[in-house]
Amino acid sequence: MTVLWVLTGPKSGDNGQVMNAAKASGLPFETRHIVFDSAHLGRKPVVRASLDGVDAERSDRLCGPWPGIVLVIGRRLSCVALWIKKQSGGATRIALFNAPKGRARDFDLVVLPPYYRKQKCASALSIRAPLTGIDPLRIAQAGNELAQALGAGQRPIHVLLVGGDMGQRKLEPGFVAGIYRQMRDGFAAGGAIHVSTSPRTPPRVVETLRPMLRPQDCLHAWRPDATANTYLGLLAHGESFTVTADSLSMLIEVARLGKPLVIAEPPRRHGLAGLKDWASGLLRPRDLRHALRMLYSGGYAVPLGMPPQPCRGLLPDDTGLVADRLRLLAGAEAEQVIRHCPAVPTAGPLTQ
């Protein structure tokens, strides 16, 4: 019987968190991958029970029997989860990672990393660090695959991981070029710098970096048609990692490996201090600066400008705590798949 559905979307780091929790729970689960059209990904939808923006042709089908729990992360997938809950007559429960951006009372479990502030909320579960992490076996396998390409290249390898635009904040080519110069002229002067970009990295950043590289350096530009996962391979071979602060997933993945981590923070913008509470009055928007302070204070990372330092320990892992709450949420009555709630068909294969 399927007790749990895990909804996955376009962000691999987010997908990793919910998959880690589902596996640890021991509950029978299935994944439903949801693809959104490009226009929908470019805006922030109102949180409501809706399949708006879902590409029905490329998404997995959503139809009864409905699960006891649906596990999601993010605003767009929470809309899909609310739609599933509506189709089940309210019987399906929703476990949401990160703070709800509306309709907070409709979520039965809210898992909050430390960069979300919370007031008293019965459904909220605070964790000390995101559950982001990659199976060491996958990293080792990717490392073996990359080893031949690296060959006898210069060592040690210092990795620069580049994120991308984040909301209204743009990743400027000059900022990334400055990071590379600091590495080249500082702690990476005697080694090789391998730059790895992400799906969010603007092309202009790649164009700026490419002619700057020394002969021993290498640019691994992300491509949607790439057959090998260079990022995972570099996690295996890198001696140190410098990561742009916009990519919390990459920061946490490196920190969980216990390798030296340098965080490159962009110049701060002013006028953002007056953030308001969400309409629920229970949860505040996330503050990524809190996550960075946690990494600095715990000895997991240093800011750009300091040489990489050995990590003082591994990030706390609250996967077991979340798994316990998922099992508690399942309960006796939710352990049965909801088989008697009629599916509500809509056009397209998504719900057929």
Side-chain angles (χ1 to χ4, degrees):
M1 96 182 46
T2 302
V3 174
L4 178 67
W5 279 5
V6 181
L7 301 189
T8 59
K11 299 181 179 179
S12 60
D14 285 355
N15 295 341
Q17 290 197 63
V18 291
M19 289 299 297
N20 287 342
K23 293 174 182 177
S25 74
L27 297 170
F29 74 91
E30 297 177 2
T31 59
R32 295 289 188 275
H33 186 65
I34 307 300
V35 179
F36 296 96
D37 60 52
S38 57
H40 193 74
L41 289 173
R43 58 184 176 84
K44 294 183 177 181
V46 175
V47 175
R48 60 191 180 92
S50 170
L51 296 181
D52 289 349
V54 173
D55 187 326
E57 295 292 335
R58 295 192 293 158
S59 297
D60 290 337
R61 291 187 300 167
L62 300 176
C63 57
W66 306 106
I69 303 172
V70 59
L71 177 59
V72 296
I73 185 170
R75 180 193 298 258
R76 296 175 183 87
L77 290 175
S78 68
C79 293
V80 179
L82 288 167
W83 182 89
I84 293 171
K85 187 170 187 174
K86 183 177 180 180
Q87 309 315 305
S88 75
T92 294
R93 300 172 182 181
I94 303 175
L96 172 70
F97 275 65
N98 299 343
K101 307 305 189 295
R103 296 186 54 167
R105 294 181 181 178
D106 291 327
F107 298 95
D108 303 277
L109 172 63
V110 177
V111 179
L112 293 174
Y115 43 84
Y116 284 101
R117 301 185 181 96
K118 78 177 185 72
Q119 298 178 5
K120 292 181 179 179
C121 178
S123 64
L125 172 65
S126 294
I127 57 176
R128 293 168 293 174
L131 303 190
T132 305
I134 301 174
D135 185 343
L137 292 178
R138 289 185 61 203
I139 295 175
Q141 180 180 357
N144 291 335
E145 294 171 355
L146 185 62
Q148 185 174 359
L150 294 175
Q154 190 162 336
R155 302 293 196 276
I157 292 175
H158 300 279
V159 181
L160 171 56
L161 300 176
V162 182
D165 296 341
M166 184 177 177
Q168 295 182 350
R169 183 187 289 278
K170 304 301 180 182
L171 186 69
E172 298 297 336
F175 168 64
V176 181
I179 300 170
Y180 170 78
R181 291 192 192 97
Q182 287 196 56
M183 295 176 65
R184 180 196 63 193
D185 300 337
F187 63 85
I193 299 175
H194 285 247
V195 183
S196 179
T197 65
S198 73
R200 295 187 297 113
T201 306
R204 62 186 184 278
V205 172
V206 176
E207 295 165 1
T208 299
L209 280 175
R210 196 182 299 277
M212 298 177 62
L213 301 185
R214 302 170 299 181
Q216 69 266 38
D217 298 335
C218 186
L219 175 62
H220 307 273
W222 180 86
R223 302 194 325 270
D225 59 345
T227 56
N229 194 323
T230 304
Y231 168 67
L232 292 183
L234 290 174
L235 290 182
H237 290 279
E239 177 75 18
S240 74
F241 293 83
T242 301
V243 186
T244 56
D246 61 274
S247 182
L248 184 61
S249 293
M250 290 194 295
L251 288 170
I252 298 299
E253 286 167 357
V254 172
R256 289 210 180 277
L257 296 177
K259 293 194 174 185
L261 172 60
V262 177
I263 302 176
E265 296 186 58
R268 291 187 177 178
R269 295 168 55 189
H270 300 288
L272 298 179
L275 294 175
K276 297 181 179 179
D277 291 354
W278 295 116
S280 65
L282 296 174
L283 304 168
R284 294 175 183 270
R286 69 177 181 173
D287 183 356
L288 292 183
R289 290 173 297 179
H290 184 98
L292 301 186
R293 289 193 295 269
M294 178 268 292
L295 291 170
Y296 294 144
S297 64
Y300 309 112
V302 297
L304 184 67
M306 294 181 60
Q309 300 293 324
C311 186
R312 291 193 295 210
L314 295 179
L315 278 177
D317 186 357
D318 287 330
T319 305
L321 181 63
V322 177
D324 288 342
R325 286 293 294 270
L326 285 174
R327 288 190 291 268
L328 183 63
L329 183 63
E333 71 276 10
E335 295 233 355
Q336 298 295 324
V337 178
I338 304 167
R339 299 184 183 276
H340 303 295
C341 299
V344 179
T346 62
L350 183 72
T351 55
Q352 293 181 355

